[in-house]
Amino acid sequence: MALSISRRVLRSFGSLSGFGRCGDSSCLTSQSFRASHDLYGHVSWDCLFSAESSSFIKGAVSSLAHRRLLTSNVTSESNDGSFPSDLLSAKNVVTPQREIGLYQDLVIPVTNFHNEDKGLMVLAGDVFDVPIRKDIIHRVVRWQLAKRQQGTHSTKTISEVSGTGRKPYRQKGTGRARHGTLRGPQFRGGAVMHGPKPRSHAFKLNKKVRRLGLKIALSARAAEGKLLVFEDLEVPSHKTKNIVNYVNEMENTKKLLVVDGGPINEKLKLATQNLHYVNLLPSIGLNVYSILQHDTLVMSRDAVNKIVERMHTPIKR
């Protein structure tokens, strides 16, 4: 980061006693040295200089070139005397952190399994930078788990239990309770009253809520820095060690979800089928529950484009 030097001091460099070595017009004046408006303070010159001031100019340019290499902020409080304190700002320069949920487009680097630089990609802000809402995530996850429940559990009623229909003993005179069948729920091997029957546990959830849940899950991974975009999901071979070595190089990664735009590559399938911590999904199958189960999400460039297209498709009522 650049030094925090006020523009007023830069404009007055020409009038300082250290710069005015001669009185003729060929020397450096305050009008011939202007600070540019960019971050690193590039210098523009309006006139030619004499040989007498050339040595000073070289020193000034070298000092400005040295300023570009600085990576820390120097203020009047943290200065150790190596830089004039009157040229430094009294306040600390703090880089503002990005706020989540402002629907701003995100720029993310694109790489691959070989850690090669494949450029940048812009992620749509209305898909990858939406406000985080836990209540929406909770509703979508409950809807997913209820919808995938099989509901094949079944018990037998009194008409379905195997057994005789004869009355076990006479109605009166025995001193025992009256019974008409031995297939009742009070007998061992009898029926189950009000037991479960095969049914669907699914309930309705609006499409807008389901779509918003997926956006929130993607935004959460992008905000955590756990969203990686690959140019493609090509692997050199079907050997499992290729994926194992790549996952071991990643920091704080326990489970990895890889999403491709179309059908999964066969080599990638074979390389990950023995790894319980790496799962593959096509973009059409990406869902909230799978994203929450994995701490790192890897998506191909094609998968990102298809997810954005899917989120922008109008909902048919």
Side-chain angles (χ1 to χ4, degrees), residues 232-251:
D232 51 46
L233 299 180
E234 296 292 335
V235 290
S237 66
H238 64 282
K239 296 293 184 179
T240 305
K241 63 180 181 181
N242 297 325
I243 305 299
V244 173
N245 294 335
Y246 177 77
V247 176
N248 291 336
E249 294 177 357
M250 304 176 66
E251 297 180 357

Side-chain angles (χ1 to χ4, degrees), residues 108 110 121-124 127-128 214 218 227-233 257-265 268 280-287 291 297-312:
I108 188 171
V110 180
M121 185 174 188
V122 179
L123 304 181
V127 178
F128 294 91
L214 183 56
L218 294 173
L227 175 62
L228 307 178
V229 178
F230 281 13
E231 180 69 23
D232 51 46
L233 299 180
L257 179 62
V258 182
V259 183
D260 200 358
I264 305 298
N265 186 8
L268 186 59
L280 306 177
L281 274 181
S283 61
I284 193 64
L286 185 62
N287 58 87
I291 295 176
L297 178 62
V298 175
M299 302 180 66
S300 64
R301 190 189 290 266
D302 186 27
V304 173
N305 293 331
K306 289 190 176 181
I307 288 295
V308 173
E309 181 182 1
R310 184 170 121 194
M311 294 296 102
H312 291 169

Side-chain angles (χ1 to χ4, degrees), residues 6 12 21 31 52 81 86 101 137 151 160 165 179 183 188 194 210 243 251 274 292 297:
S6 60
S12 62
R21 296 189 178 181
Q31 297 180 355
E52 183 179 357
D86 55 342
I137 294 293
E160 297 171 341
H179 295 292
R183 294 182 295 174
R188 180 179 179 271
H194 310 292
R210 288 148 49 184
I243 305 299
E251 297 180 357
N274 292 332
L292 296 182
L297 178 62

Side-chain angles (χ1 to χ4, degrees), residues 114-135:
H114 304 286
N115 292 324
E116 298 175 350
D117 185 13
K118 295 296 183 178
L120 301 173
M121 185 174 188
V122 179
L123 304 181
D126 57 348
V127 178
F128 294 91
D129 190 26
V130 301
I132 306 300
R133 290 185 55 182
K134 294 182 180 180
D135 59 323

Side-chain angles (χ1 to χ4, degrees), residues 8-301:
R8 181 179 302 176
V9 176
L10 287 175
R11 294 194 190 99
S12 62
F13 271 177
S15 60
L16 294 178
S17 58
F19 293 87
R21 296 189 178 181
C22 60
D24 55 357
S25 60
S26 62
C27 292
L28 178 63
T29 61
S30 61
Q31 297 180 355
S32 63
F33 187 90
R34 299 197 311 266
S36 62
H37 297 285
D38 59 352
L39 184 62
Y40 297 101
H42 297 166
V43 182
S44 60
W45 309 94
D46 292 340
C47 62
L48 298 176
F49 302 97
S50 63
E52 183 179 357
S53 60
S54 61
S55 61
F56 163 72
I57 297 170
K58 294 178 180 179
V61 174
S62 63
S63 63
L64 289 174
H66 176 68
R67 281 183 58 196
R68 297 186 185 181
L69 302 178
L70 295 177
T71 58
S72 60
N73 290 330
V74 181
T75 60
S76 59
E77 297 179 357
S78 62
N79 185 25
D80 56 353
S82 59
F83 202 86
S85 59
D86 55 342
L87 300 181
L88 297 176
S89 174
K91 61 181 180 179
N92 295 328
V93 179
V94 180
T95 303
Q97 297 182 355
R98 185 182 69 86
E99 297 184 8
I100 304 173
L102 299 181
Y103 301 96
Q104 296 178 351
D105 293 344
L106 308 179
V107 179
I108 188 171
V110 180
T111 180
N112 56 11
F113 283 113
H114 304 286
N115 292 324
E116 298 175 350
D117 185 13
K118 295 296 183 178
L120 301 173
M121 185 174 188
V122 179
L123 304 181
D126 57 348
V127 178
F128 294 91
D129 190 26
V130 301
I132 306 300
R133 290 185 55 182
K134 294 182 180 180
D135 59 323
I136 298 295
I137 294 293
H138 178 258
R139 292 178 61 185
V140 175
V141 169
R142 284 189 63 248
W143 170 77
Q144 277 190 241
L145 296 181
K147 188 175 180 63
R148 78 176 189 177
Q149 190 170 346
Q150 291 183 350
T152 56
H153 40 18
S154 179
T155 55
K156 291 184 178 181
T157 63
I158 194 171
S159 62
E160 297 171 341
V161 174
S162 178
T164 180
R166 183 180 64 87
K167 188 176 178 65
Y169 45 83
R170 59 194 179 98
Q171 181 80 357
K172 296 180 179 293
T174 62
R176 301 178 63 183
R178 51 196 177 188
H179 295 292
T181 178
L182 291 177
R183 294 182 295 174
Q186 68 272 28
F187 294 107
R188 180 179 179 271
V192 177
M193 297 302 296
H194 310 292
K197 282 293 184 180
R199 67 183 181 92
S200 174
H201 293 265
F203 57 88
K204 181 183 177 182
L205 187 65
N206 292 340
K207 292 182 180 179
K208 288 185 178 181
V209 179
R210 288 148 49 184
R211 179 174 292 185
L212 180 58
L214 183 56
K215 291 180 181 180
I216 293 174
L218 294 173
S219 300
R221 287 292 175 261
E224 295 170 352
K226 293 293 186 177
L227 175 62
L228 307 178
V229 178
F230 281 13
E231 180 69 23
D232 51 46
L233 299 180
E234 296 292 335
V235 290
S237 66
H238 64 282
K239 296 293 184 179
T240 305
K241 63 180 181 181
N242 297 325
I243 305 299
V244 173
N245 294 335
Y246 177 77
V247 176
N248 291 336
E249 294 177 357
M250 304 176 66
E251 297 180 357
N252 301 326
T253 299
K254 295 182 179 180
K255 296 194 69 175
L256 187 68
L257 179 62
V258 182
V259 183
D260 200 358
I264 305 298
N265 186 8
E266 291 298 330
K267 290 184 179 180
L268 186 59
K269 281 184 180 180
L270 296 175
T272 59
Q273 66 180 359
N274 292 332
L275 301 178
H276 67 277
Y277 52 86
V278 178
N279 292 318
L280 306 177
L281 274 181
S283 61
I284 193 64
L286 185 62
N287 58 87
V288 175
Y289 190 65
S290 297
I291 295 176
L292 296 182
Q293 281 187 316
H294 302 78
D295 53 16
T296 303
L297 178 62
V298 175
M299 302 180 66
S300 64
R301 190 189 290 266

